[in-house]
Amino acid sequence: DCQPVAHGTVTHETQAASKHSNSPVLESNIFISDITDDSGTHRWVSGHITEVHDPLRSVSVLEPGGPGGCAHNHRELVEVTAKTRKCLVAQNGGYFDTHTGQCLGNIISDGKLVRNSGGIQNAQFGIRKDGTLVFGYLSEDDILDQENPFVQLISGVVWLLRKGEIYINESIQAECDKTQETGNFRHFVDVISARTAVGHDKEGKLILFHVDGQTDVRGMNLWQVAKFLKDQNVMNAINLDGGGSATYVLNGSLASYPSDHCNPSKWRCPRAISTVLCIHERLCQPEDCSGHGRCVEGQCVCQHGWSTPGCANLTCQAECGEHGICTENGCVCDAGWMGLYCSQVCTAGLYGDGCNQTCTCANGGSCDPVHGRCTCPAGFHGDSCEQECPIGFYGLNCKQLCQCQDMCPCDAATGSCNTTYQGERNISLHRAGHCLATQMWREWRQEEEAQAPRPYLSEQSWLVVCSILATSLLASLTGNLIQTCRKCKARRQRADYSYLPLGEINGATERGEMKSGKVLFQ
Amino acid sequence: CKDIRHSSDDDLLLPYTKSHGPSHSHRYVR
């Protein structure tokens, strides 16, 4: 809310980094300039302006002494830290606690979040993954953004230039929450001292600034630094640590005049500081060229068989198709395939890996280019199609049974029956003769049957009728026999008699006497 | 290490120091 309204909620500026691949990594310039302060006093100041042509690939924020330095509150000479990454130019970076050595602000080093200050509103400089240079104030969300994350980030104090205009007064408002407490901060801005700063120009080149000095005695105040940078066509710039921390190392050697004294104080000594802004040879993408090449000035020089730009893919990766594997030596074809890109089947008669095996298929059998297996034509079988189908079988792989009557042979290829002797079928003459005679008889019989009138009932029908009649007769006889037997049995069981007085039988007298007689009762 | 003459840190230029006034709080934005 301390930001000028004209800028709305946008509290930082972005600029696409330049990518001058053919230019040298950097250009280091020394200046010795006459500076006139507000009181009209002239002073000579000296320092360095360094232009970086490909910031994304050649700028790194380094922890003191190397990775992990901030975690251990380490402090190290810029020269020493610079050697860990072979920095061509290195200068001191962010602020740190001079008592404990603790790194301050936000720090992202080569894509690794070293320190998150939770949205502290001090001037920041960062490079995003896509090469965007960012200057200004950032929220914590900005710092932790994963869509286009920061690969380098460092914190300073005071946004010196914004869009080519001096932005110090706005910075004082933004970076301090109570105006009555800005007294010390105003002094910090106004005092002359050794200073370092980082910015960018219109092309997106990164500009490193360093001026020698000693607080209150030599050097520049931040107004002078901002104006100096503005005159150098710098668009955005932030102030980094200064005073005795201001250090400039060129090709591994100290190239600035430190303001701190040594012990004893006869000499001047560079200060062991915290983070370092390092300009190194362009890094390749990926840095190790995927292990298949060398990084030469930011470009991977790939080993044979590996393709640029990252040496991650084999040159033949897309060309070997489905029938080959891409190797450093080109396509290695599957069995049965040949050619530069494994697009051709083995020529006829050859099979296997590299098509270096010879097919053994006989009788016109075709050869499988992968395994060399023979596919026999109809009528032949065997591993090499060397055998004719056995008698009684025909067709592909001799799996069909001949349907010929009376052992007549069939054609091994088509299965058609041969009723005449086939010499090449290797059948005995006797057997062929039998086949022929039987065949002729069968044909004659068929002709006779075809000419004779067809009976009303067949032989089988008559047989059934006769059987039924015979069974009926037998059943009738059996029934009568059983009935007769039952009658006989009944007569024996009824052995009682009754006597009836008969008047006369066969002409006897009326008074007659009772005489015995029999009457059969049924 | 004997060759390195350590700085005496006598030119401290810090934006917020307790010795020059009340402690200063930074602004945080989330």
Side-chain angles (χ1 to χ4, degrees):
Chain A
D1 53 354
C2 289
Q3 296 292 304
V5 176
H7 295 294
T9 57
V10 178
T11 54
H12 57 263
E13 299 293 337
T14 59
Q15 166 73 45
S18 61
K19 298 175 183 175
H20 299 301
S21 302
N22 297 324
S23 303
V25 175
L26 60 88
E27 188 176 323
S28 178
N29 303 296
I30 301 170
F31 66 85
I32 301 174
S33 302
D34 180 10
I35 299 292
T36 305
D37 60 18
D38 293 340
S39 62
T41 307
H42 289 265
R43 285 192 315 276
W44 289 96
V45 294
S46 62
H48 292 84
I49 288 272
T50 307
E51 296 179 7
V52 186
H53 298 116
D54 192 357
L56 177 62
R57 292 194 292 170
S58 56
V59 173
S60 289
V61 172
L62 305 183
E63 295 181 70
C70 280
H72 296 94
N73 292 344
H74 196 53
R75 290 177 59 175
E76 190 54 84
L77 295 174
V78 176
E79 295 161 83
V80 175
T81 301
K83 282 176 184 169
T84 65
R85 282 297 297 269
K86 299 178 181 175
C87 305
L88 303 172
V89 162
Q91 65 182 38
N92 64 297
Y95 287 85
F96 62 99
D97 188 317
T98 54
H99 302 291
T100 66
Q102 183 187 24
C103 303
L104 297 177
N106 300 305
I107 300 167
I108 294 176
S109 173
D110 293 333
K112 176 191 168 193
L113 179 62
V114 175
R115 196 166 190 277
N116 174 11
S117 292
I120 190 170
Q121 289 300 283
N122 285 120
Q124 317 282 327
F125 156 64
I127 305 176
R128 289 191 185 273
K129 188 178 181 180
D130 67 349
T132 303
L133 304 177
V134 180
F135 287 83
Y137 303 117
L138 299 170
S139 68
E140 189 174 18
D141 288 342
D142 292 328
I143 294 161
L144 300 176
D145 173 46
Q146 292 300 310
E147 279 190 23
N148 185 18
F150 281 101
V151 291
Q152 315 291 344
L153 182 64
I154 197 168
S155 297
V157 174
V158 180
W159 191 349
L160 299 171
L161 286 176
R162 182 175 188 179
K163 289 184 175 179
E165 298 299 326
I166 295 174
Y167 199 65
I168 294 175
N169 278 328
E170 293 84 346
S171 294
I172 292 171
Q173 294 292 316
E175 297 188 39
C176 306
D177 58 354
K178 292 180 181 177
T179 52
Q180 64 269 28
E181 290 183 1
T182 59
N184 298 324
F185 192 69
R186 178 75 67 176
H187 174 75
F188 165 80
V189 171
D190 292 342
V191 71
I192 60 169
S193 183
R195 304 283 186 173
T196 57
V198 60
H200 75 86
D201 65 6
K202 286 181 180 176
E203 294 179 42
K205 287 188 290 189
L206 199 71
I207 308 295
L208 271 60
F209 170 84
H210 146 258
V211 62
D212 293 322
Q214 184 159 13
T215 302
D216 279 327
V217 178
R218 294 180 281 114
M220 290 182 177
N221 62 33
L222 290 186
W223 301 98
Q224 291 164 340
V225 172
K227 184 176 184 304
F228 187 89
L229 291 174
K230 183 180 178 182
D231 293 342
Q232 299 296 319
N233 298 316
V234 174
M235 299 302 294
N236 288 283
I238 65 164
N239 171 64
L240 297 174
D241 195 8
S245 299
T247 312
Y248 189 82
V249 170
L250 179 64
N251 293 326
S253 297
L254 184 68
S256 58
Y257 295 94
S259 51
D260 279 359
H261 290 83
C262 302
N263 190 12
S265 62
K266 182 179 179 183
W267 311 109
R268 302 285 178 153
C269 275
R271 180 183 295 175
I273 52 94
S274 184
T275 51
V276 164
L277 209 50
C278 167
I279 316 301
H280 47 69
E281 291 284 0
R282 290 183 181 89
L283 294 179
C284 290
Q285 296 288 341
E287 201 170 333
D288 64 346
C289 296
S290 307
H292 302 119
R294 291 181 299 114
C295 184
V296 178
E297 296 182 351
Q299 301 291 329
C300 287
V301 179
C302 301
Q303 296 167 359
H304 175 71
W306 295 92
S307 63
T308 54
C311 307
N313 297 320
L314 288 158
T315 51
C316 54
Q317 201 104 42
E319 297 166 337
C320 295
E322 298 177 355
H323 307 298
I325 298 170
C326 181
T327 71
E328 296 175 39
N329 299 318
C331 297
V332 174
C333 302
D334 296 339
W337 295 88
M338 56 182 279
L340 194 59
Y341 304 122
C342 304
S343 57
Q344 301 165 4
V345 182
C346 290
T347 51
L350 298 175
Y351 74 98
D353 289 331
C355 299
N356 57 5
Q357 308 265 348
T358 305
C359 294
T360 58
C361 305
N363 294 313
S366 60
C367 173
D368 169 31
V370 178
H371 304 291
R373 282 192 288 262
C374 297
T375 300
C376 302
F380 294 95
H381 74 117
D383 291 343
S384 301
C385 306
E386 75 282 7
Q387 298 172 22
E388 209 169 10
C389 288
I391 295 167
F393 296 93
Y394 74 99
L396 286 173
N397 300 317
C398 302
K399 287 184 176 177
Q400 310 263 15
L401 272 173
C402 289
Q403 300 296 319
C404 302
Q405 300 278 342
D406 303 314
M407 298 175 65
C408 283
C410 70
D411 183 84
T414 65
S416 61
C417 297
N418 294 332
T419 55
T420 55
Y421 171 67
Q422 300 291 320
E424 69 275 15
R425 298 287 295 134
N426 196 24
I427 300 173
S428 69
L429 189 58
H430 171 74
R431 189 171 148 190
H434 173 75
C435 164
L436 181 60
T438 308
Q439 186 73 15
M440 290 173 67
W441 178 82
R442 192 175 297 282
E443 287 175 359
W444 169 79
R445 180 75 184 275
Q446 287 173 348
E447 287 175 5
E448 288 291 313
E449 287 177 352
Q451 292 173 359
R454 182 176 289 274
Y456 187 73
L457 290 174
S458 67
E459 289 177 356
Q460 285 185 340
S461 300
W462 282 116
L463 185 62
V464 170
V465 170
C466 289
S467 298
I468 292 170
L469 290 174
T471 306
S472 301
L473 180 60
L474 189 61
S476 176
L477 290 172
T478 306
N480 284 330
L481 185 62
I482 292 170
Q483 198 172 30
T484 305
C485 288
R486 281 182 178 169
K487 286 177 181 175
C488 290
K489 193 177 177 182
R491 260 200 304 282
R492 280 196 302 271
Q493 288 174 345
R494 291 193 201 98
D496 53 341
Y497 298 84
S498 63
Y499 295 90
L500 298 173
L502 296 175
E504 190 177 321
I505 299 175
N506 293 332
T509 61
E510 285 185 355
R511 48 172 194 172
E513 300 161 350
M514 293 295 285
K515 291 184 182 177
S516 64
K518 286 185 184 176
V519 176
L520 181 63
F521 287 90
Q522 283 188 323
Chain B
C1 291
K2 289 179 182 177
D3 294 335
I4 298 173
R5 298 170 295 176
H6 289 287
S7 165
S8 57
D9 286 1
D10 55 0
D11 189 10
L12 295 176
L13 182 65
L14 299 174
Y16 312 109
T17 53
K18 292 178 182 178
S19 59
H20 291 91
S23 63
H24 192 91
S25 60
H26 292 232
R27 179 191 304 278
Y28 288 83
V29 171
R30 289 181 184 276

